Amino acid sequence: MKEFEYLKPDSIKETISILSQFGEKAQILNGGTDLIVDMRDKIIQPEYLVDIKAIPQLNRITYNKQDGLNIGATVTLNEISNSKVVQTNYPILVKACKTVGSYQVRNRATLVGNICNASPAADTAPPLLVLEAKVNIIGPTGEKIVPINQFFTGVKKNILKKGEIVTSITIPPIKDKWTGVYLKQGRKKEVDLATVGVAVVCIRDEVRIALGAVAPVPVRAFKTEELLKGKTIDESLLEKAGKSALTEISPISDVRSSQEYREEIIKVLVRRAILQAKGGHIL
Amino acid sequence: MKHKIRFTINGEVKEMEVQPNKTLLKMLREDLDLIGAKEGCGAGECGACTVLVDNEPVNSCLMLAVEADGKEILTIEGLSDDINLDSIQESFLKHNAIQCGYCTPGMVMSAKALLNRNPHPTEEDVKEALAGNLCRCTGYQRIINAVLDVAKKGGKK
C-alpha cells in the first residue's frame, strides 16, 4: 500500500474543507472494506485519507413516523441489522444488509459506503430503490437531497462532486401497509457478491421492483411496475412481468455469471419476489 | 508521517507510532509479534486474520493500524492465561476441529465473538457467524460441533 497522510476530522465542516482543498487526491475512509482492498491492489492511491468515523452526528440511526428512518454515514451494516426500529419497520433492509460479505465485514462496512461505492451488485441498493430512499449530501455549496435512483451514474460512479459527502440516507415513511422482499442469487449462500439481486415492495395496488447486478447501475423496473399496477397477479401476468423486466436491463457476462444466466434468473427472481411480497407460494 | 496511537492489546495498554499505510494485521504480526492472526487473502474473504475490536470480530487486514487508536483488541494470544486454554480452544482440540491450523485462530475468534453475543446459538447461528472464515482442510462440521459443544456446556470445559 502506497504511503498517504491520514486525517481524522471531528466535524462535517472540517471534512468538507479538507475534501475541497485536496480534491481528487483525497479519499474518504469509512468502513474501508472496499477501499483498503483497492488501495492494497493500487487501484486507488490517495495522498490523503480522510477518516470520517470520529464525526459524532454521522453515527446515528433515528426513526419516527413523520420523517421515517435516517441512517448516518458511519452506521455499520451490523448496527442496522441489530437495530430494533429497522427490524420492526424495514425488515427488507435487514435482509439485504445481512447478505453483504461476512459477519466480520458487516462489522466495518456501512450502508452509505455500500451506496457510495456504487457497485452494480450492491446488495443494499435494490431495497433502497424500492423504498425510494433519499441521499443526504453536504458540500461546499450547502446541503442537497437526491433521490437514490439519481445517485448512481455508472459502474462504481456516483453523482458526488468535489468536496461533497453523503451524511445519511433517509427512508421516507410509508403510510399504508406494505410488504417487501429482497432476493439474492449468488454462487454460494454466504459471503458472495450478488449474481442477480431483486427487491420488491407492494403497497396497496402498487408493485415496486428494483434490480441489481444486471445493468451498469442498480435500476428500478418502472415499465414492469406499470404493467402490474392495479392488476390481479396471476400466472400469465407473472410471466409477462418477467419478460418485461428483461427489457429494462443490460446484463453482461463476467466472472460470476454469463449474460444468459442472468437473463434467465432475473425472470425467476422477479416472479418469486412478487409472489413472496404478495404472500403467495414460491413456484 | 507516523501517528501516535494508544490502544489495549490483550488486556495491556500500549502506545505506538505507526505508519498510516500499515494494516492492523501487519502491526500485530510485525511490530507486536502476535502471529496468531494470519494473512490469507488480504481482502476480507477468508477470515484468517479475524481479531476482536471492542468485542466485535473484524478482518484485521481490512483495518488500518491507526484506526485502532482508543480501541480494545483481543487476539488469539489473549485467550489463554499461559497455563489454561480458553474453553473454545479446548473444544477445538477435543473435536479434532483442526488440521493444518492456518484458519484456526480466526475460527476461534469468530466463535468467541458469537458466544459473547449469543451464549446459546443454533447450528444456523454458528454457520452464519463462521461464514466469513474459510477452512480448506477439515471441512466445517467438526468446527461447528466444537462451537456448539462449548455453548451446550455454558462455556465450561
Side-chain angles (χ1 to χ4, degrees):
Chain A
M1 207 184 298
K2 215 185 119 201
E3 281 189 28
F4 55 82
E5 199 167 321
Y6 173 85
L7 305 162
K8 197 172 185 180
D10 55 14
S11 74
I12 294 171
K13 205 177 150 193
E14 196 186 340
T15 306
I16 294 168
S17 133
I18 295 167
L19 294 174
S20 304
Q21 188 187 343
F22 297 121
E24 301 266 297
K25 293 181 192 158
Q27 186 76 40
I28 291 175
L29 171 65
N30 197 353
T33 54
D34 288 308
L35 180 65
I36 290 175
V37 180
D38 282 348
M39 287 171 58
R40 185 199 67 157
D41 294 342
K42 298 190 166 60
I43 296 165
I44 299 174
Q45 297 185 310
E47 288 177 38
Y48 302 89
L49 205 57
V50 189
D51 188 344
I52 58 169
K53 292 190 288 294
I55 305 170
Q57 62 265 49
L58 296 185
N59 195 26
R60 292 178 193 150
I61 298 181
T62 59
Y63 174 77
N64 65 62
K65 283 201 166 111
Q66 286 72 45
D67 306 319
L69 179 70
N70 188 270
I71 297 173
T74 62
V75 176
T76 65
L77 296 175
N78 273 348
E79 285 168 343
I80 295 169
S81 302
N82 293 331
S83 155
K84 286 277 178 290
V85 290
V86 186
Q87 287 170 3
T88 309
N89 298 289
Y90 301 96
I92 182 178
L93 195 58
V94 171
K95 168 84 189 292
C97 289
K98 280 192 163 188
T99 71
V100 177
S102 63
Y103 192 88
Q104 292 96 310
V105 165
R106 298 193 293 273
N107 265 334
R108 301 289 294 170
T110 62
L111 180 72
V112 166
N114 195 226
I115 293 310
C116 288
N117 187 52
S119 159
D123 281 304
T124 64
L128 291 177
L129 281 164
V130 287
L131 293 168
E132 302 196 329
K134 312 266 189 251
V135 185
N136 301 302
I137 298 168
I138 299 188
T141 55
E143 298 183 31
K144 63 181 170 189
I145 300 169
V146 174
I148 184 85
N149 69 343
Q150 291 168 22
F151 183 76
F152 307 111
T153 54
V155 178
K156 297 222 141 199
K157 289 197 173 77
N158 61 48
I159 58 150
L160 289 181
K161 295 198 188 76
K162 184 178 165 184
E164 289 184 335
I165 168 177
V166 175
T167 53
S168 66
I169 285 178
T170 301
I171 297 173
I174 302 174
K175 298 276 186 279
D176 296 292
K177 266 194 138 179
W178 64 280
T179 52
V181 295
Y182 175 63
L183 300 181
K184 169 179 180 169
Q185 182 79 11
R187 292 163 299 180
K188 53 194 175 100
K189 194 176 151 219
E190 306 263 6
V191 200
D192 196 8
L193 299 176
T195 301
V196 170
V198 173
V200 166
V201 156
C202 295
I203 310 166
R204 288 168 172 267
D205 68 342
E206 186 188 355
V207 181
R208 296 181 191 161
I209 304 167
L211 312 170
V214 287
V217 299
V219 289
R220 272 286 286 276
F222 287 113
K223 279 201 292 186
T224 307
E225 293 180 14
E226 202 51 45
L227 192 76
L228 295 165
K229 196 172 164 60
K231 303 250 178 67
T232 308
I233 307 290
D234 61 15
E235 198 51 46
S236 83
L237 191 59
L238 283 172
E239 203 181 315
K240 276 185 203 150
K243 282 184 181 156
S244 165
L246 265 187
T247 66
E248 306 196 64
I249 58 173
S250 51
I252 56 164
S253 295
D254 64 11
V255 61
R256 284 184 290 286
S257 156
S258 67
Q259 177 192 332
E260 290 78 9
Y261 181 75
R262 285 196 164 97
E263 286 170 351
E264 192 54 37
I265 211 72
I266 202 89
K267 288 192 281 187
V268 175
L269 288 196
V270 164
R271 167 204 177 85
R272 192 177 291 170
I274 296 169
L275 273 173
Q276 281 190 20
K278 288 276 187 193
H281 299 290
I282 310 164
L283 299 174
Chain B
M1 193 182 78
K2 281 195 172 182
H3 283 255
K4 198 172 184 180
I5 59 169
R6 188 185 158 91
F7 56 96
T8 307
I9 177 79
N10 298 334
E12 194 184 320
V13 177
K14 258 213 152 49
E15 272 188 21
M16 284 183 70
E17 290 204 342
V18 291
Q19 283 289 354
N21 63 344
K22 181 170 263 185
T23 62
L24 174 60
L25 176 63
K26 278 226 156 76
M27 177 182 83
L28 293 173
R29 293 181 59 86
E30 292 171 5
D31 302 332
L32 297 172
D33 212 19
L34 298 169
I35 55 169
K38 309 283 191 287
E39 179 166 86
C41 67
E45 292 181 30
C46 76
C49 66
T50 303
V51 301
L52 305 199
V53 176
D54 291 344
N55 277 321
E56 286 288 346
V58 305
N59 300 113
S60 60
C61 75
L62 291 186
M63 184 170 159
L64 299 174
V66 282
E67 294 182 273
D69 188 31
K71 306 283 186 196
E72 197 171 306
I73 294 156
L74 182 68
T75 70
I76 189 81
E77 290 87 351
L79 285 194
S80 70
D81 59 8
D82 280 351
I83 300 163
N84 301 301
L85 292 175
D86 183 88
S87 54
I88 299 172
Q89 293 171 306
E90 289 281 6
S91 191
F92 269 59
L93 288 176
K94 188 181 137 203
H95 287 268
N96 291 313
I98 303 163
Q99 201 164 319
C100 85
Y102 198 87
C103 74
T104 310
M107 286 282 182
V108 171
M109 296 315 286
S110 278
K112 182 79 188 165
L114 169 68
L115 297 179
N116 281 346
R117 67 181 182 266
N118 177 6
H120 305 289
T122 62
E123 185 162 345
E124 269 311 299
D125 294 335
V126 176
K127 285 180 180 172
E128 188 194 334
L130 299 183
N133 294 84
L134 299 185
C135 169
R136 297 289 82 170
C137 34
T138 65
Y140 297 95
Q141 198 54 51
R142 286 165 188 273
I143 295 170
I144 293 164
N145 292 347
V147 179
L148 286 171
D149 195 26
V150 187
K152 208 166 73 190
K153 292 175 184 158
K156 295 188 188 77
K157 284 168 196 170

